[in-house]
Amino acid sequence: MKLYKTKKGIVIANDKSYYLVVNEDWDTYVNDDRLYSKMEKATKELSASQEAKDLITSEIQAPIQSQEIWACGVTYYRSKVGRQEESKDSGGADFYARVYEAERPEIFFKATAYRTVGHGDKVAIRKDSTWDVPEPELTLAVTSSGKIIGYTVGNDMSSRSIEGENPLYLPQAKSYDASAAIGPCIYVTDEPLPTDTQIQMEILREGKVVFEGEVGIDQIKRKFEELVSYLYRETSFPYGCLVMTGTGIVPSSDFTLKKDDEIRITIQHIGTLVNTVK
């Protein structure tokens, strides 16, 4: 089942039926270890409606409220190679090789709801950066207890010129206004995603595809539960959080985003997140 956040309430999509849940707070509703069962019960008690379906296209919002977004780096081999490439002149390449093999994963703070945009909204590139790319990432929806209850599509926008200059500049390269996009929904399931799930990305410029790539989530080096366990070791999340799991699709060094580029990220079972560059 899919869970959408809209201006008029929460929408549950089950097969081809849509149900509007009103008078429910997003934070409270999603922060539930038994979310799938709760949604299943709601579809039996509520009546399907055209209004609920229409809200997804007309009043959809990013599926976040008080949650924080955290992100994991260098979880794919392709990401390791890309990070080494961008930081070779600064002498930081070895750090990325080490973290790929290390027991402890790289995890960093990405954004709050204030700096996050949803499906159909505009992402930003920094004015003081010269090399910018989107990073398509499977994103985990995690409760306050640390249970993974769903998945969404994430775009971890990255200023590679800034991070490449010095690894210590990572927060500036990663966290700024409109630096994160998530959506269009949370795919809620009581089973893990199939290991053959594919992530695809297309970038269109003036209507033409200028980049495309694809990777399977089976290429992620670390288990999702491992990433969550490290994040939750000494940090609490009263409303739960969203965890970006890293990217395996990295454009070559001669590509950078431009204003009005359209970014389309599709993850099987979840859907397609579309954003343009402002």
Side-chain angles (χ1 to χ4, degrees):
M1 289 184 286
K2 296 180 179 181
L3 195 67
Y4 295 85
K5 184 172 184 279
T6 76
K7 294 178 182 178
K8 289 189 177 180
I10 297 168
V11 173
I12 299 172
N14 184 15
D15 295 326
K16 295 183 179 180
S17 299
Y18 299 82
Y19 306 85
L20 177 60
V21 181
V22 295
N23 300 321
E24 286 280 2
D25 176 66
W26 178 264
D27 286 343
T28 304
Y29 198 86
V30 300
N31 187 28
D32 188 335
D33 288 352
R34 294 178 55 82
L35 179 58
Y36 183 84
S37 297
K38 181 166 67 177
M39 291 169 60
E40 207 171 33
K41 181 181 178 183
T43 61
K44 296 174 182 178
E45 297 175 346
L46 297 171
S47 298
S49 70
Q50 183 64 39
E51 179 191 10
K53 184 177 181 180
D54 292 342
L55 285 172
I56 292 174
T57 56
S58 63
E59 299 195 38
I60 193 170
Q61 297 180 319
I64 184 174
Q65 186 167 305
S66 300
Q67 297 77 27
E68 298 174 0
I69 300 177
W70 286 68
C72 305
V74 202
T75 56
Y76 290 81
Y77 180 78
R78 179 67 185 93
S79 178
K80 177 183 86 77
V81 172
R83 293 291 177 258
Q84 287 179 294
E85 177 185 52
E86 74 184 22
S87 61
K88 60 184 178 183
D89 293 338
S90 68
D94 187 49
F95 289 102
Y96 295 103
R98 290 185 183 185
V99 78
Y100 182 74
E101 301 293 345
E103 178 181 350
R104 182 184 295 273
E106 178 195 12
I107 305 176
F108 57 90
F109 175 75
K110 177 63 182 179
T112 58
Y114 176 78
R115 293 188 172 89
T116 302
V117 302
H119 175 72
D121 294 330
K122 293 182 180 292
V123 291
I125 52 179
R126 292 183 61 116
K127 294 181 177 64
D128 57 354
S129 175
T130 58
W131 183 13
D132 304 276
V133 296
E135 296 189 4
E137 305 193 18
L138 175 65
T139 301
L140 313 175
V142 189
T143 66
S144 57
S145 73
K147 182 177 180 179
I148 301 168
I149 45 84
Y151 309 86
T152 190
V153 182
N155 180 359
D156 173 19
M157 293 286 288
S158 181
S159 298
R160 294 187 68 182
S161 59
I162 294 175
E163 185 179 357
E165 186 178 343
N166 191 314
L168 295 180
Y169 295 161
L170 175 71
Q172 297 175 75
K174 292 287 192 177
S175 187
Y176 54 90
D177 289 348
S179 65
I182 56 170
C185 65
I186 294 178
Y187 175 64
V188 182
T189 174
D190 56 356
E191 297 180 355
L193 278 182
T195 56
D196 61 353
T197 298
Q198 296 292 304
I199 302 174
Q200 300 171 313
M201 180 172 72
E202 283 187 337
I203 303 174
L204 286 74
R205 183 170 296 160
E206 297 179 350
K208 297 181 180 180
V209 176
V210 292
F211 176 84
E212 56 186 342
E214 182 175 4
V215 71
I217 66 168
D218 59 346
Q219 298 302 303
I220 298 178
K221 179 180 175 63
R222 301 179 187 270
K223 295 184 181 300
F224 299 145
E225 292 78 9
E226 173 191 358
L227 298 172
V228 172
S229 71
Y230 271 94
L231 177 59
Y232 274 62
R233 281 189 175 187
E234 299 292 342
T235 308
S236 59
F237 298 93
Y239 306 103
C241 72
L242 295 160
V243 182
M244 293 180 168
T245 58
T247 187
I249 303 174
V250 182
S252 60
S253 59
D254 60 352
F255 178 87
T256 188
L257 286 169
K258 295 183 178 181
K259 184 179 182 296
D260 296 327
D261 282 356
E262 181 178 276
I263 305 161
R264 304 180 61 88
I265 303 171
T266 300
I267 303 182
Q268 284 180 300
H269 311 291
I270 304 172
T272 301
L273 172 66
V274 181
N275 301 102
T276 55
V277 178
K278 64 180 178 179

